[in-house]
Structure formats: structure tokens, C-alpha cells
């Protein structure tokens, strides 16, 4: 199960509308970075076979089965830090993070 | 944790390898920075929520320069150390500044440098350094907002910027520690912001009316490729002029015409501007000046500014003519610049082009947004995007020929990047060097064009006049920077220059040069004919003298020789006059007089070539 906060869902809805196409948001992981894994967020134009589709706050969140192992239970929020703003993951599977917080390990 | 953004499908980057890119509108009055995040292009605000950064830098002794609103506030208290409108000085030489000098309050340092330098409390600065200080603030803002270092930026420049001005802009970026993906013409950026590049075909007009300048650009989109067909405008017409005519009306209504009280005049200007801005939303705006109170309606303001708007439309008509197009050919009209918020402007533009202009992106930010979209593509964040933006050169580029004529190698409005080559030859027998003088302009003679660079090609093997083949190549890269090379074709010896002209032209000068080229078209044509005939005469005289020296005594009788010398002297005399037809006749007369001599010389040289050979050797 993956969920979004209302703020995050509102942002995703706006970004999709602005983009003019796309069915939802893909969450994934990449095996890179200084601490093993990194989160990935992409627009989705087509749902792939085997993808799990969650619906949260009216937004379709799409995850492939491999990534779901690392992401199950994650909540996605949207936050502002100074001038910077963007999406933030709260993932119960995470056990360690690199100093910058861009990558994590389970 | 780090804050994440949404990428295009399959384009997500590895951690710590985000390709962050920004677009920068480095303006004369205000600058902006924008970037694409989660598929959306936005301009970035400072901590106070202000998107515009006034392009003003305040220098103080032993302190970091202050940029933006605080610097703008210092313009009245410390004008000598507060530099505004540095963009007008970019790529300019000391000579250019002398012309602008009257309007600029700064202490220019003389000597020691080709670029104008300004004395401030913090030392001597150039326009490039002032621009770099502005760019540094924008860079910092972008990196704070994006949460990482910028991989590169796209900076916009006016379409009429010449090589020197573009190079100066790049130098400023380098000084600010920015990697420039490329420079982009402002109108092209505005069209990109509206996604007009996503259409297959079309002709677009970009109407850019700022505070003090007006620019019109005609772009063509062909198979997804952008091309700037023509640019024009008026460098002394803008929204400030609207304020002037409204203020004059206010003074008249208030019975204060002819007042020289600066406070009253300034109050009238402020009231005029406020009324103008209010009328974008409201039908009527209350106005007051001194004791007088009244109201200005939207339609009345429209009447007041109509002659000014009409001037912009006349420039549109000229530019369309330049592009060889009817206004019916324009499919979209893009509005840029704060003054396009005035509804009377939108209405008149709509009726001129016969279609409503595009206005839904903030006209102050639209250029930065287009630059951000282009930067995002160049940073590699878009899948298989093949957006390629082409621009044109504003004035023809050419070479000086014998007689002070200019031969155009790349005509104006040619799309860049471009490379053009042309072959030239030597004028005199045994000539071993050739001086190459690169010029910019539309007129026919060297004095009426602008000199960009000179260099020499040496070590040309000695040959008879006209035998050497020297290939001169002009190359203008995607940023509009020119390089010229010359190569002698038999030996391969070559020379060249990167043209970083010591000073450039502003759009006003470009327009003046264009207008002159039209106004003087006939006299230029006459001048060209005269010079051409003079050169031809010199060539004939030169050739005759060389021949006489070689074999005149052998092949000619004394009478024949005298007759030839008379014809020659006649031509020398005619050549000093200004009648190109008379010179042409003189050349013909000399050729006629020399006819049999030329024949004899030819026979003699054939005999010499065949001497010692049997006839059948010459049969196939």
C-alpha cells in the first residue's frame, strides 16, 4: 500500500494537468547513490504489465513488483524547505540513509 | 531527506546526478531565472516572494556588491556607485560609450582597455562584471530553489545582439561560474514558452513591448524547426512613452501645462502609470493631480496612446515586408513585455494581425520560461526531443574588395549556424599577401559599413594576377559568433580570425544602417559601378604596362607603342573622374587599341610553347 498526503496529491494532479497527458505517477527505486538505493518519480503514460496501481487522494500511484518490496507502506508528502520544494518519502522499510538523504538502504 | 521532482517516463536520473538546468532572462531593467520541475516551467522568487530581480548593482568599498531591489533603492542616494542598464554596455567599445555618454552618470575610466570601465567605490568594473554579479544572484537563487548545482543554463539575448554582445554575455556567465548550454534569442524563447514548437508548421510574430523598447520578430516553424525570418522594432518606444502622453493629458486637464516643477511632473508620471495599470482590470480609473480630480476611461486612454501603438504596427509592417510575408501568413502572435498588458495594445495588435494574440503567460516572465524549457531539453531531461532553434544574423557580413567595395558573403537574415565560402584571387602579378577586411552592414562601400576585423594571408606563391585561388570561409556558429578563414588552394597556406569585434552595434544603429541602405540605394549603386570601373581600369593599365615591359619592344613598332600609350593616358585621365560610363568607354578604347598586340603576344607565347616539339605531339 502506498499513500499520498492531500498536498502531495494536489501537486501531482496539477503537474499532470499541466503536462497535458499521463495516467498517473510511478514510484520506483534505483540501485545507485552513496547508500544503495534511490527513489524515482516519473510520470506514467502507460501502465505496464505486472504493475500495481494504488489510488490515493484521486491520484493513481503505479509501482512495479520489484520496487514494491522496498516501497510498501510508504507515504509521499510535498514539502517546502527554504526556497526549495518537492516530494518527500516516509518509508518504513528504510534502515539507513546517506547524509544528503537522496539514497537509502533497507 | 532530499526533495524529489517528477521526471519524464524513463528519464529519472541516479541520485546525485540530477541534470539541473535553468533559463535566464538577463534583461536591461529586470532579470529572471526559471526552471522546469516536475514537468512545469516556473520562474523562481527570492525569499520575499519577488520574481523580478532589478538588473542593478550597488558597489561599496570593501563589501560584497548588492544586487536587485536594494541596489535600485541606492540609485538615488549613491548614483555613481550604482550601475543600472549594464546590458546596454555589453560588448561595446569605449567609442560607443562616448556616444551614450550623455545619458550615463558614471565615471568612465579612460585608457588601458578597449572595453569601457566604470570607477566605483569597490574598484573598477566593466559591464561584463556587472552582469556577472547579477547572474551570480540568479544562480544562487536557482540552486537554492532546485536544491543542487546547475549543470547548465540557457541565457536569452535580443535577436539583434551582434557577435561582441553575445560573446560578452557568455563571458559574464563564465565569470559567474555558469556553464552556458547556449544563448537563445528572446523572441524564440517566448514562442517556445507557448509550446508553439510542438506544432508542425507555422509563422509566428513575437510582439515585445517593454518599458523603453519595442521589438518585433517573425519566426517560422518548419518541420519542428524554428527559424527567425526577420526582426525589427524601435529602440526608443515603450510603455514609458504611454505614461508620458497620459501625464501630458493630466497636466492639461489640471491646468498645469508648461509647469517646470519637477515634483509636479514626477507626480503626473506616477499618476499616469497607476491609471494605466488600473485600466487593465477596470473600465475607469480615478486620477488626481494637485487640486484637480477626474477620471480616465479605458477607451480614452486607448485614444491617447493610439499614435504610439500605431508606430509599433508600422514597424510590424516593415518587418513583415523584410520577411517577404503578408500579415495573413501569421498564424500566432505572442505578446512579450509588461506593456502588452495594456488592453488597447492587445486590441490593436489583434485587429492588425486579424487574430487575438497569445497573452495567458505573464508577459514579464514568458522569455525566462521559454529559456528554462530549452535548458531542460539541452540538459537531457526530455526523451528524444529534437528541438533545434535557429536564429538569423541581423546584418550582412562581407569582405572589402579592390576599390573599397564590400562583397557580401552572408546576406542578412540568413539562418545560423551557417558557413559560406567564396573564392578570390590576386590583383597584381607576383602578389604574395592579401589583406582581408571583414565588414558588417548593408551598404556597398567600406566607409558605410562597420569594420569587424582585419587579418592578412601571407606566403601566397607568386603567380600572375588572377591565377591564385584564395578560398575565404565565413562561419557563424549557433550562438552567432563569426570566424573567418582564408586558404590559398594550391599550397594550403591559411590564416583566420575569430571575430570578437572591439565594439558592436545596438538595434538603433542597426536600424539606422538598414534605413540608410534603402535611402542611399541609388547612390550606392552608382558608387559601386564607379568603383568597379575604376578597378577594371587599374587592372587594364597594370596588365598593359606589364606586357609592354615584357615584350613591347619586340612586338610593337614605335607608332603602335605611342598609340597604345595615348589610349592608356586617356584612360588614366578618365579614371580620375566620376563618370563610370566614360571610364568603361576608356577601357573599351584601350582594349580595342591593344587588340592586335594581344593577338601577337598570344601567337608568340604559343610559338614559344611549341618550340622544339613536332606537330603530331599536339594531336590527340
Amino acid at each position: 500500500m502506498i499513500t499520498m498526503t492531500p498536498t502531495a496529491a494536489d501537486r501531482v494532479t496539477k503537474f499532470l494537468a499541466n503536462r497535458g497527458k499521463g495516467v498517473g505517477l510511478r514510484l520506483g527505486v534505483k540501485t545507485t547513490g552513496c547508500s544503495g538505493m534511490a527513489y524515482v518519480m516519473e510520470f506514467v503514460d502507460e501502465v505496464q504489465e505486472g504493475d500495481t496501481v494504488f489510488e490515493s487522494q484521486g491520484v493513481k500511484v503505479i509501482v512495479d513488483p520489484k520496487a514494491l518490496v522496498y516501497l510498501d507502506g510508504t507515504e509521499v508528502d510535498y514539502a517546502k524547505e527554504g526556497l526549495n520544494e518537492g516530494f518527500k518519502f516516509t518509508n518504513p522499510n528504510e534502515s539507513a540513509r546517506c547524509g544528503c538523504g537522496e539514497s537509502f538502504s533497507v | 531527506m532530499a526533495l524529489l521532482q517528477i521526471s519524464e517516463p524513463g528519464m529519472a536520473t541516479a541520485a546525485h546526478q540530477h541534470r539541473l538546468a535553468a533559463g535566464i532572462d538577463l534583461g536591461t531593467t529586470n532579470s529572471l531565472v526559471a526552471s522546469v520541475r516536475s514537468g512545469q516551467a516556473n520562474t523562481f522568487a527570492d525569499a520575499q516572494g519577488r520574481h523580478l530581480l532589478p538588473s542593478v548593482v550597488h558597489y561599496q568599498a570593501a563589501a560584497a556588491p548588492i544586487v536587485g531591489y536594494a541596489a535600485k533603492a541606492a540609485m538615488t542616494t549613491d548614483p555613481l556607485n550604482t550601475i543600472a542598464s549594464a546590458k546596454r554596455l555589453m560588448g561595446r567599445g569605449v567609442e560607443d560609450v562616448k556616444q551614450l555618454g550623455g545619458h550615463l552618470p558614471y565615471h568612465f575610466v579612460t585608457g588601458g582597455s578597449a572595453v569601457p570601465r566604470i570607477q566605483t567605490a569597490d574598484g573598477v568594473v566593466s559591464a561584463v562584471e556587472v552582469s556577472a554579479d547579477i547572474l551570480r544572484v540568479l544562480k544562487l537563487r536557482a540552486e537554492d530553489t532546485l536544491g543542487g548545482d546547475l549543470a547548465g543554463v540557457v541565457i536569452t539575448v535580443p535577436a539583434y545582439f551582434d557577435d561582441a554582445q553575445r560573446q560578452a554575455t557568455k563571458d559574464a556567465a563564465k565569470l559567474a561560474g555558469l556553464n552556458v548550454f547556449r544563448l537563445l534569442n528572446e523572441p524564440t524563447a517566448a514562442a517556445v514558452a507557448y509550446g508553439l514548437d510542438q506544432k508542425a508548421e507555422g509563422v509566428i510574430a513575437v510582439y515585445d513591448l517593454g518599458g523603453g523598447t519595442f521589438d518585433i520578430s517573425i519566426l517560422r516553424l518548419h518541420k519542428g524547426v524554428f527559424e527567425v525570418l526577420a526582426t525589427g522594432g524601435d529602440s526608443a518606444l515603450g510603455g514609458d512613452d504611454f505614461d508620458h502622453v497620459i501625464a501630458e493629458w493630466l497636466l492639461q486637464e489640471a491646468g498645469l501645462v508648461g509647469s517646470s516643477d519637477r515634483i509636479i511632473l514626477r507626480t503626473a508620471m506616477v499618476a499616469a502609470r497607476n491609471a494605466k495599470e488600473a485600466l487593465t482590470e477596470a473600465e475607469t480609473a480615478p486620477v488626481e493631480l494637485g487640486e484637480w480630480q477626474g477620471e480616465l476611461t479605458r477607451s480614452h486612454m486607448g485614444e491617447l496612446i493610439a499614435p504610439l501603438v500605431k508606430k509599433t504596427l508600422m514597424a510590424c509592417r516593415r518587418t513583415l515586408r523584410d520577411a517577404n510575408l503578408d500579415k495573413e501568413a501569421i498564424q500566432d502572435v505572442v505578446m512579450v513585455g509588461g506593456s502588452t498588458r495594456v488592453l488597447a495594445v492587445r486590441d490593436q495588435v489583434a485587429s492588425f494581425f486579424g487574430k487575438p494574440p497569445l497573452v495567458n503567460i505573464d508577459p514579464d516572465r514568458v522569455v525566462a520560461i521559454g529559456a528554462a524549457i530549452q535548458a531542460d531539453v539541452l540538459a537531457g531531461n526530455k526523451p528524444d526531443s529534437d528541438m533545434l532553434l535557429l536564429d538569423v544574423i541581423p546584418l550582412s557580413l562581407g569582405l572589402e574588395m579592390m576599390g573599397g567595395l564590400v562583397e557580401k558573403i552572408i546576406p542578412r537574415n540568413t539562418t545560423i549556424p551557417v558557413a559560406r565560402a567564396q573564392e578570390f584571387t590576386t590583383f597584381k602579378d607576383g602578389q604574395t599577401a592579401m589583406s582581408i577586411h571583414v565588414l558588417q552592414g548593408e551598404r556597398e562601400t567600406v566607409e558605410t559599413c562597420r569594420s569587424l576585423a582585419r587579418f592578412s594571408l601571407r606566403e601566397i606563391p607568386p603567380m600572375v594576377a588572377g591565377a591564385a585561388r584564395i578560398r575565404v570561409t565565413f562561419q557563424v556558429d549557433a550562438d552567432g559568433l563569426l570566424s573567418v578563414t582564408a586558404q590559398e588552394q594550391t599550397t594550403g597556406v591559411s590564416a583566420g580570425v575569430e571575430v570578437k569585434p572591439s565594439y558592436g552595434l545596438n538595434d538603433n544603429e542597426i536600424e539606422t544602417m538598414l534605413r540608410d541602405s534603402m535611402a542611399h540605394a541609388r547612390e550606392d549603386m552608382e558608387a559601386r559601378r564607379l568603383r568597379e570601373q575604376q578597378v577594371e581600369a587599374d587592372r587594364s593599365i597594370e596588365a598593359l604596362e606589364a606586357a609592354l615591359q615584357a615584350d613591347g619592344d619586340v612586338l610593337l613598332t614605335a607608332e603602335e607603342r605611342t598609340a597604345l600609350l595615348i589610349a592608356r593616358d586617356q584612360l588614366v585621365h578618365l579614371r580620375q573622374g566620376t563618370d563610370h560610363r566614360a571610364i568603361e568607354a576608356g577601357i573599351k578604347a584601350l582594349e580595342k587599341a591593344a587588340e592586335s598586340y594581344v593577338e601577337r603576344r598570344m601567337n608568340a607565347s604559343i610559338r614559344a610553347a611549341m618550340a622544339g616539339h613536332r606537330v603530331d605531339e599536339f594531336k590527340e
Side-chain angles (χ1 to χ4, degrees):
Chain A
M1 177 73 172
I2 288 173
T3 53
M4 305 199 89
T5 64
T7 330
D10 181 55
R11 283 294 163 158
V12 174
T13 310
K14 280 196 177 125
F15 288 143
L16 277 168
N18 175 69
R19 189 167 172 266
K21 60 174 181 179
V23 295
L25 175 69
R26 178 180 299 281
L27 299 192
V29 291
K30 263 194 174 180
T31 50
T32 63
C34 36
S35 180
M37 301 276 208
Y39 294 113
V40 162
M41 296 181 89
E42 289 181 357
F43 292 111
V44 177
D45 288 326
E46 242 176 282
V47 176
Q48 304 294 314
E49 217 182 301
D51 279 346
T52 308
V53 181
F54 299 98
E55 178 113 16
S56 176
Q57 311 280 346
V59 173
K60 282 198 171 66
V61 180
I62 294 139
V63 188
D64 74 43
K66 232 176 89 189
L68 190 57
V69 181
Y70 301 102
L71 294 174
D72 203 12
T74 296
E75 187 192 54
V76 180
D77 193 10
Y78 194 83
K80 283 191 182 188
E81 287 175 5
L83 289 176
N84 190 6
E85 54 187 270
F87 295 93
K88 219 171 172 161
F89 286 46
T90 310
N91 181 358
N93 305 300
E94 237 178 73
S95 65
R97 259 182 197 177
C98 76
C100 63
E102 251 200 71
S103 45
F104 69 99
S105 53
V106 290
Chain B
M1 69 172 279
L3 298 170
L4 295 172
Q5 309 297 332
I6 312 173
S7 307
E8 283 297 303
M11 301 303 289
T13 49
H16 310 295
Q17 289 173 27
H18 302 290
R19 294 170 289 236
L20 299 177
I24 293 176
D25 175 0
L26 183 61
T28 308
T29 318
N30 292 299
S31 296
L32 286 138
V33 62
S35 188
V36 175
R37 284 191 303 174
S38 296
Q40 199 166 23
N42 278 317
T43 53
F44 292 158
D46 63 6
Q48 284 76 47
R50 300 174 298 202
H51 287 250
L52 293 175
L53 176 73
S55 303
V56 184
V57 185
H58 182 209
Y59 292 94
Q60 292 164 288
I66 296 167
V67 182
Y69 287 98
K72 196 176 170 183
M75 278 172 76
T76 45
T77 55
D78 190 12
L80 291 179
N81 294 311
T82 309
I83 317 298
S85 303
K87 189 174 177 178
R88 293 190 195 278
L89 298 175
M90 291 291 270
R92 298 311 193 73
V94 176
E95 286 303 310
D96 293 297
V97 172
K98 279 186 192 147
Q99 290 174 11
L100 293 167
H103 315 289
L104 299 167
Y106 315 123
H107 281 313
F108 285 98
V109 183
T110 46
S113 167
V115 294
R117 297 165 71 81
I118 302 165
Q119 181 69 54
T120 73
D122 193 29
V124 174
V125 295
S126 68
V128 168
E129 288 162 318
V130 176
S131 298
D133 284 325
I134 297 165
L135 288 171
R136 268 190 210 104
V137 172
L138 296 172
K139 174 178 190 263
L140 195 66
R141 186 187 292 182
E143 292 184 339
D144 283 349
T145 311
L146 293 167
D149 291 344
L150 287 174
V153 293
V154 167
I155 302 178
T156 58
V157 292
Y160 57 75
F161 252 29
D162 70 11
D163 294 347
Q165 292 167 302
R166 285 168 200 265
Q167 186 60 49
T169 306
K170 284 186 142 185
D171 291 346
K174 200 171 162 190
L175 209 56
L178 288 166
N179 169 37
V180 180
F181 286 140
R182 69 165 293 179
L183 303 178
L184 182 63
N185 280 342
E186 288 160 7
T188 313
V192 169
Y194 276 101
L196 298 177
D197 52 307
Q198 301 305 315
K199 296 187 175 182
E201 303 278 312
V203 180
I204 300 148
V206 180
Y207 181 102
D208 182 350
L209 188 62
T213 57
F214 170 64
D215 292 304
I216 174 76
S217 310
I218 311 294
L219 312 179
R220 183 170 62 196
L221 184 63
H222 181 61
K223 291 182 182 159
V225 172
F226 259 117
E227 190 185 336
V228 184
L229 292 180
T231 63
D234 188 333
S235 61
L237 177 61
D240 298 345
D241 299 302
F242 293 177
D243 299 347
H244 266 287
V245 295
I246 299 167
E248 271 166 30
W249 171 79
L250 280 173
L251 289 167
Q252 198 176 358
E253 293 292 301
L256 292 165
V257 174
S259 170
S260 56
D261 184 337
R262 293 184 73 106
I263 294 171
I264 290 178
L265 295 177
R266 196 174 312 144
T267 313
M269 283 296 284
V270 171
R273 171 171 299 221
N274 290 341
K276 176 185 79 175
E277 287 171 3
L279 288 174
T280 295
E281 300 295 329
E283 280 291 339
T284 64
V287 278
E288 57 172 70
L289 185 61
E291 304 288 285
W292 179 84
Q293 288 187 330
E295 69 176 20
L296 180 61
T297 65
R298 193 184 276 172
S299 66
H300 190 189
M301 182 181 76
E303 286 165 29
L304 290 173
I305 64 170
L308 297 169
V309 182
K310 205 167 171 192
K311 270 176 89 175
T312 67
L313 298 177
M314 276 159 63
C316 292
R317 191 167 286 139
R318 277 200 301 274
T319 308
L320 280 167
R321 206 182 304 138
D322 252 5
N324 257 327
L325 289 171
D326 296 327
K327 57 189 179 187
E328 289 72 29
I330 304 293
Q331 277 149 6
D332 291 290
V333 183
V334 176
M335 296 297 246
V336 181
S339 304
T340 61
R341 289 201 184 87
V342 175
L343 294 172
V345 172
R346 293 184 185 180
D347 290 347
Q348 291 225 39
V349 169
S351 74
F352 178 82
F353 286 103
K355 53 184 57 75
L358 297 168
V359 293
N360 47 332
I361 301 178
D362 183 332
D364 283 323
R365 303 188 198 173
V366 64
V367 167
I369 284 173
I373 293 170
Q374 177 77 349
D376 191 47
V377 172
L378 292 172
N381 293 326
K382 286 278 228 182
D384 47 54
S385 181
D386 53 358
M387 184 165 71
L388 175 66
L389 301 172
L390 295 179
D391 299 327
V392 292
I393 57 165
L395 288 170
S396 303
L397 296 167
L399 281 184
E400 176 173 355
M401 306 292 292
M402 282 305 295
L405 291 173
V406 177
E407 175 87 7
K408 296 190 180 80
I409 308 291
I410 305 181
R412 89 188 196 87
N413 280 335
T414 300
T415 54
I416 55 173
V418 64
R420 292 270 168 89
Q422 199 159 319
E423 275 193 6
F424 294 93
T425 188
T426 47
F427 184 75
K428 288 197 173 194
D429 289 345
Q431 183 179 338
T432 57
M434 185 183 256
S435 167
I436 291 165
H437 185 193
V438 183
L439 294 127
Q440 185 177 38
E442 299 315 305
R443 293 186 61 187
E444 303 288 336
T445 56
V446 169
E447 313 85 75
T448 50
C449 287
R450 177 160 291 218
S451 172
L452 290 182
R454 282 173 194 274
F455 66 99
S456 294
L457 177 65
R458 297 181 192 287
E459 293 170 37
I460 300 171
M463 287 181 245
V464 292
R469 284 165 51 226
I470 291 133
R471 195 172 174 79
V472 179
T473 308
F474 276 55
Q475 194 163 358
V476 183
D477 73 9
D479 293 322
L481 297 176
L482 169 70
S483 61
V484 180
T485 52
Q487 187 175 44
E488 202 287 309
Q489 296 293 289
T490 54
T491 56
V493 54
S494 72
V497 278
E498 287 274 327
V499 179
K500 285 183 193 166
S502 52
Y503 49 79
L505 300 165
N506 63 23
D507 55 338
N508 214 358
E509 289 169 297
I510 288 179
E511 214 189 299
T512 310
M513 286 178 88
L514 289 178
R515 211 176 294 131
D516 281 355
S517 76
M518 288 162 204
H520 298 282
R522 180 153 290 279
E523 72 186 73
D524 276 5
M525 192 179 73
E526 291 290 317
R528 170 170 272 274
R529 283 198 183 140
L530 175 63
R531 300 284 180 89
E532 278 171 355
Q533 293 305 331
Q534 285 173 339
V535 170
E536 197 54 42
D538 290 345
R539 205 197 313 271
S540 300
I541 294 164
E542 185 94 17
L544 177 69
E545 281 168 356
L548 286 176
Q549 194 145 17
D551 52 23
D553 298 336
V554 186
L555 297 174
L556 293 172
T557 66
E559 295 85 65
E560 283 170 333
R561 193 187 169 99
T562 312
L564 270 177
L565 289 177
I566 289 169
R568 181 201 66 179
D569 291 345
Q570 177 72 15
L571 180 57
V572 168
H573 174 71
L574 287 170
R575 190 223 172 279
Q576 277 150 17
T578 55
D579 185 349
H580 65 83
R581 286 179 196 83
I583 301 174
E584 197 179 352
I587 296 168
K588 288 240 168 73
L590 180 61
E591 279 170 1
K592 186 116 187 82
E595 228 166 39
S596 74
Y597 175 38
V598 170
E599 207 168 294
R600 264 177 259 170
R601 294 195 82 213
M602 219 125 87
N603 290 339
S605 69
I606 291 170
R607 260 199 306 280
M610 294 196 305
H613 296 276
R614 295 193 313 276
V615 174
D616 52 358
E617 275 183 55
F618 295 94
K619 286 181 180 159
E620 287 281 324

